Amino acid sequence: MAVETEQRKYISSQELKKHKSPSDLWISIQGKVYDVTNWVRDHPGGEIPLFDLSGQDVTDAFVAHHPASAWKLLDRFFVGYYLSDYETSEVSKDYRRLVTEFSKLGLFEEKGHGVFFSFCFMLALFFTSVCMVVASTSSLAHLTAGVIMGFLWIQSGWVGHDSGHYNIMLNPALNRLAQIITGNCLTGISIAWWKRTHNAHHVACNSLDFDPDLQHIPFFAVSSKLFNSLTSYFHERTMTFDSIARFMVSYQHLTFYPVMCFARFNLFAQSIILLLSKKKVPYRWQEILGLIVFWIWYSYLISFLPNWGERAMFVAASFAITSLQHVQFCLSHFSSSVYVGQPQGNDWFEKQTMGTLDISCSPWMDWFHGGLQFQVEHHLFPRLPRCHLRRIVPLVKELCKKHKLQYSSVSFLAANKMTVATLRNASL
């Protein structure tokens, strides 16, 4: 029960845990308790992060995903209580110091010219692919055009990813336009679907039942714990491990790369399913219009190819190249530590580092990985523009070493071997 001490009213963490239902949702930030029940429907990050972290202190997650201006909005939700047993670990103290230091240095606002160069590169890829389809009769040119289209989708995906975490443009309106163009119009993937999925992934990194990026039954199971038919709290259904799943998983280390070549179809389908669902989708009609634009220009471009064989070749080539990006997404998490259960706010730093793997590469290859080769740094500082991620690697390594925490970084080839080994171990 609540007690009053020194003019302040306190509740315990156990009492806070009782307020974790959609109709009664409380959280704590720096020991102050907030009722965000009515904020769920308007939360820019969607309802899932609030549901996943409900009934607990979420200071580190809040610090990671919100700019300084967000602190000014909290008072309206304050319920008048403080946590009587609020504590801050030494890891969290050091982590928050780093966030403050980066903020003082202006790193969250300094975006460099990477976005401009990315857009120029994407424009060049787009028109090169289109010209090779329209102006050439060579089958080899058409195949090359499909390959180039795949690289365009990859680069567009990186820009769309960045725009979902921070304003890559001068203002929110232009940032929204960039999201729709790079996501919906250019790649046929709803940015609303991606943000919904990606926010859940960041909050519940490598939780088998809360992180949608690990929920690929019947095709893949990264842990034998998935054989227990866990409930997906993201998809709101049971991930049934039946005879079909058993058969598929038994050969998953062999089917991993072939399945990645067709993963794009799943993203198309998931985008459409969300936009046609009854779930709340911000700017739904913008999202739908963006997908319509994609399917019009992409279908029209394919119609210029002379026959169905070359059309299939063009699509297959673009999908095969884009599978590189889907593989990249998997490399950073499939072989890392996993757990079952609701994500906790009091071990934020530890969970992000344990569940994430960096890909070591030379600076000249940064364009290929889109900044996500620094996956550990990105998960700890998701609002940090990608141009600063390489710069902060030594600081993150030092912090992990100080607190005896895992920090994993391997080459692209080694990461592939680790991922396949993880899949093979589960299949056996």
Side-chain angles (χ1 to χ4, degrees):
M1 296 296 293
V3 295
E4 190 167 338
T5 306
E6 297 179 359
Q7 305 303 314
R8 284 188 175 187
K9 292 185 292 184
Y10 288 89
I11 62 172
S12 67
S13 296
Q14 290 300 317
E15 180 71 21
L16 180 62
K17 287 181 180 179
K18 297 177 182 178
H19 302 273
K20 56 185 302 183
S21 68
S23 59
D24 179 28
L25 203 164
W26 290 12
I27 59 173
S28 164
I29 299 175
Q30 289 191 331
K32 293 181 69 174
V33 179
Y34 302 94
D35 183 350
V36 293
T37 307
N38 296 325
W39 175 239
V40 167
R41 62 177 179 269
D42 298 315
H43 182 229
E47 75 280 7
I48 293 176
L50 292 176
F51 288 156
D52 285 357
L53 293 173
S54 59
Q56 55 183 307
D57 187 84
V58 300
T59 305
D60 285 344
F62 184 86
V63 166
H65 289 278
H66 296 79
S69 58
W71 290 90
K72 302 175 184 177
L73 305 176
L74 288 176
D75 283 345
R76 73 170 87 165
F77 307 113
F78 183 48
V79 297
Y81 292 120
Y82 295 80
L83 280 186
S84 59
D85 50 354
Y86 172 69
E87 294 180 351
T88 306
S89 68
E90 293 303 314
V91 179
S92 290
K93 288 178 182 177
D94 285 343
Y95 169 62
R96 295 173 198 177
R97 286 193 196 103
L98 268 186
V99 174
T100 302
E101 182 180 337
F102 294 163
S103 183
K104 288 180 178 178
L105 291 173
L107 298 187
F108 293 111
E109 285 73 41
E110 294 176 5
K111 305 174 182 66
H113 302 292
V115 174
F116 173 74
F117 292 130
S118 292
F119 274 123
C120 291
F121 187 34
M122 288 161 51
L123 198 63
L125 291 173
F126 180 78
F127 280 108
T128 300
S129 181
V130 169
C131 288
M132 294 181 79
V133 169
V134 175
S136 174
T137 58
S138 167
S139 296
L140 180 59
H142 296 161
L143 175 63
T144 305
V147 170
I148 294 173
M149 183 62 65
F151 278 114
L152 166 66
W153 286 348
I154 290 176
Q155 293 303 313
S156 186
W158 298 142
V159 175
H161 168 268
D162 291 349
S163 69
H165 282 291
Y166 56 90
N167 281 330
I168 62 172
M169 308 299 284
L170 296 176
N171 57 59
L174 287 175
N175 193 68
R176 174 63 187 167
L177 180 62
Q179 290 178 339
I180 289 293
I181 291 175
T182 57
N184 301 54
C185 296
L186 270 182
T187 67
I189 298 172
S190 165
I191 195 70
W193 170 82
W194 174 84
K195 289 176 69 175
R196 178 182 174 84
T197 305
H198 199 62
N199 286 340
H201 162 65
H202 266 268
V203 167
C205 179
N206 275 31
S207 167
L208 293 175
D209 46 347
F210 282 83
D211 183 355
D213 282 12
L214 294 186
Q215 298 172 355
H216 302 298
I217 296 292
F219 294 100
F220 304 123
V222 298
S223 169
S224 59
K225 295 176 182 177
L226 286 165
F227 301 167
N228 297 323
S229 296
L230 299 177
T231 297
S232 167
Y233 289 91
F234 178 84
H235 294 293
E236 299 176 333
R237 61 175 173 79
T238 299
M239 297 180 287
T240 305
F241 192 75
D242 53 17
S243 57
I244 296 176
R246 178 179 292 275
F247 175 80
M248 296 294 294
V249 169
S250 295
Y251 301 97
Q252 62 181 357
H253 54 299
L254 302 176
T255 61
F256 175 62
Y257 294 108
V259 168
M260 289 296 103
C261 289
F262 299 97
R264 207 75 177 175
F265 286 113
N266 179 55
L267 305 192
F268 290 154
Q270 293 298 326
S271 295
I272 294 172
I273 290 171
L274 175 64
L275 296 182
L276 297 181
S277 72
K278 295 181 179 180
K279 297 182 183 297
K280 182 181 179 182
V281 179
Y283 310 106
R284 186 188 300 266
W285 287 107
Q286 287 183 14
E287 298 279 339
I288 293 175
L289 181 61
L291 294 191
I292 292 174
V293 168
F294 168 78
W295 287 110
I296 288 176
W297 76 256
Y298 188 59
S299 301
Y300 186 59
L301 177 64
I302 292 174
S303 71
F304 280 90
L305 294 168
N307 55 64
W308 284 107
E310 291 206 19
R311 290 166 189 159
M313 178 186 69
F314 177 87
V315 172
S318 58
F319 273 48
I321 292 299
T322 315
S323 69
L324 288 169
Q325 188 175 58
H326 300 300
V327 170
Q328 285 171 299
F329 290 147
C330 298
L331 296 183
S332 296
H333 298 287
F334 271 27
S335 61
S336 298
S337 299
V338 298
Y339 66 100
V340 176
Q342 182 183 11
Q344 301 298 310
N346 58 3
D347 60 357
W348 173 263
F349 191 96
E350 296 91 328
K351 278 293 197 302
Q352 300 300 325
T353 54
M354 288 173 57
T356 312
L357 174 74
D358 269 11
I359 307 297
S360 58
C361 70
S362 300
W364 69 272
M365 278 295 289
D366 286 354
W367 67 273
F368 176 74
H369 293 284
L372 293 192
Q373 71 273 37
F374 304 115
Q375 192 75 210
V376 176
E377 290 72 21
H378 170 63
H379 266 258
L380 293 173
F381 308 97
R383 294 186 298 109
L384 195 67
R386 75 166 94 159
C387 59
H388 301 305
L389 293 175
R390 184 176 288 276
R391 172 181 175 182
I392 70 167
V393 167
L395 299 175
V396 174
K397 283 184 177 179
E398 181 182 348
L399 189 54
C400 289
K401 183 178 180 181
K402 175 182 177 181
H403 295 283
K404 297 184 170 121
L405 296 173
Q406 177 179 317
Y407 182 94
S408 302
S409 179
V410 299
S411 68
F412 183 71
L413 179 59
N416 274 271
K417 290 180 178 179
M418 291 169 62
T419 297
V420 172
T422 297
L423 295 173
R424 184 174 183 275
N425 288 337
S427 74
L428 294 178

